Amino acid sequence: QVQLVESGGGLVQTGGSLRVSCAAPGPTFSLLTITWFRQALGLEREFVAAISRAGGNTDYANSVKGRFTISRDNAKNTVYLQMNSLKPEDTAVYYCAAKRQFVYRRSNNPNEYDYWGLGTQVTVSS
């Protein structure tokens, strides 16, 4: 069983920055593809960014490309999502999700992920 714990959410003004983290204690972290999803009130959960096991492959939703950066530190069992130039439409609960994947393949489908955190709220005020 893999436990994912998000942290770092909060309230920020439009144009500001925030970094959220996803920690997963245990020896299997380096075997996991980690993906950030977000869900705004009343909307479906949507793909934000993903990173492969060793960090060599990353993917982003078009809506965040150029503003968000996903990275990971396998020595610390942590994935980061650096969010810059934040907009009110970025307001959502941000979830990290994981699945074991030997060969990286991007997946936007939440149903394909085996492990989820409880989420962290990000609010961007206008």
Side-chain angles (χ1 to χ4, degrees), residues 60-119:
Y60 297 92
N62 288 336
S63 59
V64 307
K65 203 171 290 185
R67 300 188 297 123
F68 290 12
T69 302
I70 190 170
S71 62
R72 68 189 295 159
D73 184 342
N74 284 350
K76 296 182 178 179
N77 282 24
T78 303
V79 166
Y80 305 98
L81 184 68
Q82 177 67 43
M83 303 181 290
N84 299 329
S85 302
L86 282 161
K87 306 174 182 180
E89 51 263 44
D90 294 318
T91 295
V93 177
Y94 283 70
Y95 298 91
C96 66
K99 59 178 176 176
R100 299 184 190 218
Q101 194 174 50
F102 185 71
V103 177
Y104 175 75
R105 178 182 62 83
R106 167 176 168 162
S107 172
N108 294 0
N109 184 354
N111 294 325
E112 294 189 13
Y113 290 83
D114 302 309
Y115 310 106
W116 288 86
L118 297 179

Side-chain angles (χ1 to χ4, degrees), residues 41-56:
L41 200 61
L43 300 180
E44 292 186 351
R45 197 164 294 192
E46 65 172 358
F47 172 87
V48 176
I51 189 165
S52 59
R53 296 185 305 148

